[in-house]
Amino acid sequence: MLTVPLNDLRRVVIEDGSALRSTIDRVVDSGWYIFGPEHDGFEKDLAAYLGVTGAVAVGNGTDALEMAMAGLGVRPGSRVVTVANAGGYSSVAANRLGATPVLVDVAADSYLMDPESLRVTLAGCDAAAVVVTHLFGAMPDMGQIIEICRQFEVPVIEDCAQAIGATWDGKRAGTWGDVGAFSFYPTKNLGALGDGGAVVTDEQELATRLRALRQYGWTEKYRVEVAGGRNSRLDELQAAVLRVRLGMLDARNYARAAIAKRYGDALAGSEHRLLHAGSEGFVAHLAVVDTPRRDEMMRFLSGNGIGTAIHYPVGDHEQPGLDTESVQPLVNTDAALKRILTVPCFPELTAAEVEHVAATLNRFAAS
Ligand SMILES: *Cc1c(COP(=O)(O)O)cnc(C)c1O
């Protein structure tokens, strides 16, 4: 029987081939490992790809969120509005700053932030920032969300960890809000061979503050002018790897979206659906089935050699290690947590593997 892994990171390294190896060799031989030409080149390449003026590379995606919050003035006692079904990263970042996440519900169709719930929540708390998570590689109606946040005069952070290259209304994730936060964790659509992240913004002063925050609060060498600084840098090797892979990102995102579309078609007309399949601008970081028979589907897929996972099984409001609040009950969030199932979707899947997953989904839907 054909077995299909949920992911296999060796395959992309094989695809990258000699370009990746020669880049790594060049960095190793250069004798320059932090803040060298690859790092600066990657910041420029990323800014150009997204169409922003400032890209600041950092150590990982959670640091990116935390620094974005700190840069926008989130401090102990602040409220940060976000969703509860996105893995907890924003809540972890807010808690680290001594701030409290205020959780809003997701929309029943998209499982992304519900603009109406956002409006009610912003009216019911004094928020220092809103984090919009582009979960699974899909974006909510950003026009509407930005408008609501403007009305309440609250800055917007976009969590683009799963959505590099995604668009809403033709405009890229990370360019709608005040700051975009990215992760280059190895499984992300743009993945390093270790940890990595970035914050991007068009606001010059904010970019300067973020550059200080990522390196001890320095405005120049050995001069600590910005409070709350830390060390969170992207190293030269990871930057070089990311530059090679950035050139392949659009093609790989296209391949992901096509796989999700295939699964969506296989489930068409059934009580199950593949979230966001076929949607404009979706980059299919994860192919997530929405199903009333989740556990049964999981067993069926597993019995057919197909790897699955749940992204994510526990809401932020139910995590013992997180301190959160909410203004409204999280009705859609709680329902969604029981219905989601992630199936294999990465660009290096073979056509036979994709067809095996699609056919198995189709058989389950007919059963
Ligand atoms: C992966 C991820 C992060 C965190 O990124 P790290 O680099 O692992 O710290 C944040 N938000 C979302 C939505 C993610 O998927």
Side-chain angles (χ1 to χ4, degrees):
M1 181 177 63
L2 189 56
T3 64
V4 186
L6 188 65
N7 212 332
D8 179 0
L9 294 175
R10 286 168 303 188
R11 296 191 195 179
V12 62
V13 171
I14 293 166
E15 281 280 317
D16 290 339
S18 60
L20 192 67
R21 304 278 173 182
S22 63
T23 298
I24 291 169
D25 278 350
R26 201 177 63 235
V27 174
V28 171
D29 292 343
S30 77
W32 201 345
Y33 308 114
I34 295 281
F35 282 169
E38 296 292 342
H39 172 274
D40 295 354
F42 174 66
E43 286 192 339
K44 285 201 179 72
D45 293 351
L46 180 64
Y49 174 80
L50 295 171
V52 293
T53 55
V56 180
V58 300
N60 60 70
T62 309
D63 283 358
L65 287 166
E66 187 181 330
M67 277 181 271
M69 291 177 196
L72 290 170
V74 172
R75 53 179 50 88
S78 294
R79 298 282 182 281
V80 176
V81 172
T82 191
V83 292
N85 68 332
Y89 309 101
S90 289
S91 293
V92 167
N95 278 172
R96 272 189 57 84
L97 291 169
T100 306
V102 183
L103 303 171
V104 303
D105 208 2
V106 294
D109 55 347
S110 66
Y111 296 171
L112 305 173
M113 181 178 276
D114 176 29
E116 241 0 269
S117 182
L118 174 64
R119 194 193 301 278
V120 171
T121 300
L122 287 178
C125 78
D126 182 21
V130 170
V131 182
V132 182
T133 306
H134 303 317
L135 197 63
F136 312 140
M139 298 174 71
D141 183 338
M142 288 307 287
Q144 206 182 348
I145 285 176
I146 296 286
E147 193 187 307
I148 294 166
C149 292
R150 285 230 178 91
Q151 197 185 321
F152 287 91
E153 295 176 16
V154 182
V156 177
I157 297 164
E158 294 177 76
D159 180 351
C160 307
Q162 302 192 358
I164 189 166
T167 58
W168 171 264
D169 203 11
K171 189 169 154 63
R172 284 207 200 278
T175 69
W176 284 86
D178 296 83
V179 190
F182 292 84
S183 165
F184 309 118
Y185 181 80
T187 60
K188 308 293 187 188
N189 290 28
L190 179 63
L193 299 177
D195 277 315
V199 263
V200 308
T201 181
D202 273 325
E203 297 164 33
Q204 211 99 55
E205 248 175 71
L206 182 55
T208 304
R209 199 151 60 242
L210 291 166
R211 284 183 199 288
L213 283 172
R214 76 171 166 186
Q215 181 162 248
Y216 324 122
W218 284 0
T219 46
E220 60 187 273
K221 204 165 191 185
Y222 307 134
R223 183 171 172 78
V224 182
E225 268 190 81
V226 177
R230 37 116 49 87
N231 173 13
S232 182
R233 297 178 294 224
L234 182 72
D235 69 67
E236 197 68 357
L237 262 174
Q238 300 307 337
V241 168
L242 290 168
R243 288 182 87 184
V244 170
R245 289 183 169 176
L246 185 58
M248 266 113 45
L249 177 63
D250 285 344
R252 287 176 177 166
N253 277 348
Y254 185 84
R256 285 175 184 272
I259 293 166
K261 172 84 167 50
R262 179 71 192 89
Y263 298 162
D265 291 346
L267 293 171
S270 74
E271 60 181 339
H272 322 276
R273 63 190 175 125
L274 202 294
L275 291 166
H276 307 287
S279 305
E280 183 77 31
F282 173 52
V283 294
H285 171 62
L286 297 172
V288 177
V289 179
D290 176 46
T291 168
R293 293 195 277 146
R294 194 255 305 274
D295 295 348
E296 207 187 323
M297 181 184 272
M298 194 180 215
R299 280 194 298 275
F300 191 79
L301 291 172
S302 166
N304 283 278
I306 297 166
T308 61
I310 297 170
H311 295 94
Y312 295 88
V314 182
D316 293 17
H317 54 309
E318 283 168 351
Q319 297 282 18
L322 290 175
D323 178 21
T324 67
E325 292 174 356
S326 48
V327 169
Q328 279 193 311
L330 306 174
V331 178
N332 295 336
T333 303
D334 287 328
L337 291 171
K338 298 189 184 77
R339 296 174 55 100
I340 46 173
L341 184 64
T342 305
V343 294
C345 181
F346 55 101
E348 300 77 28
L349 280 174
T350 66
E353 288 172 326
V354 173
E355 285 317 306
H356 179 56
V357 177
T360 307
L361 287 172
N362 187 261
R363 262 192 296 136
F364 182 78
S367 72

